[in-house]
Amino acid sequence: MFRLWVKLIDNNHLLRDTVICDDTVDTRTHKVMNSIEKACYELDLSKPIWLDNIVKDFQLHNKCRFGKDAFIEEISFDYMEIQVLEEDY
């Protein structure tokens, strides 16, 4: 099972979070993208843009932050952080 933790952080405080589980037979990239889409729908957000530095952080650490510059719409928090909790190999 693949699990992705999505957190909304403002002033170093956790505002909201959700864990998205995906047990489909799909590529890791598709699981990440689908999980982010589900989380954004659940948290009533637009999907963020994957900037180069965000991609690099995610590839290195299985964790990254989407700041205000990664969203087209105005956001009411400092950043959205995603972290892979569990992966199936």
Side-chain angles (χ1 to χ4, degrees), residues 45-46 66-69 71 73-80:
L45 296 172
S46 62
F66 295 92
K68 294 184 185 295
D69 56 341
F71 290 91
E73 297 176 354
E74 186 76 22
I75 58 173
S76 60
F77 49 88
D78 290 337
Y79 59 89
M80 178 177 85

Side-chain angles (χ1 to χ4, degrees), residues 5-9 14-18 43 63 77 79-83:
W5 187 15
V6 180
K7 302 179 272 188
L8 303 182
I9 308 291
L14 178 66
L15 297 178
R16 293 183 67 193
D17 71 327
T18 185
L43 298 170
K63 180 179 181 179
F77 49 88
Y79 59 89
M80 178 177 85
E81 182 175 281
I82 65 170
Q83 179 178 357

Side-chain angles (χ1 to χ4, degrees), residues 21-56:
C21 301
D22 187 344
D23 58 356
T24 61
V25 180
D26 212 345
T27 64
R28 181 180 191 264
T29 303
H30 286 132
K31 288 182 180 188
V32 170
M33 295 302 177
N34 291 338
S35 296
I36 289 175
E37 187 173 338
K38 288 176 187 176
C40 286
Y41 180 79
E42 186 176 314
L43 298 170
D44 194 26
L45 296 172
S46 62
K47 289 190 289 184
I49 299 167
W50 285 86
L51 303 171
D52 290 339
N53 61 331
I54 296 172
V55 172
K56 195 174 293 185

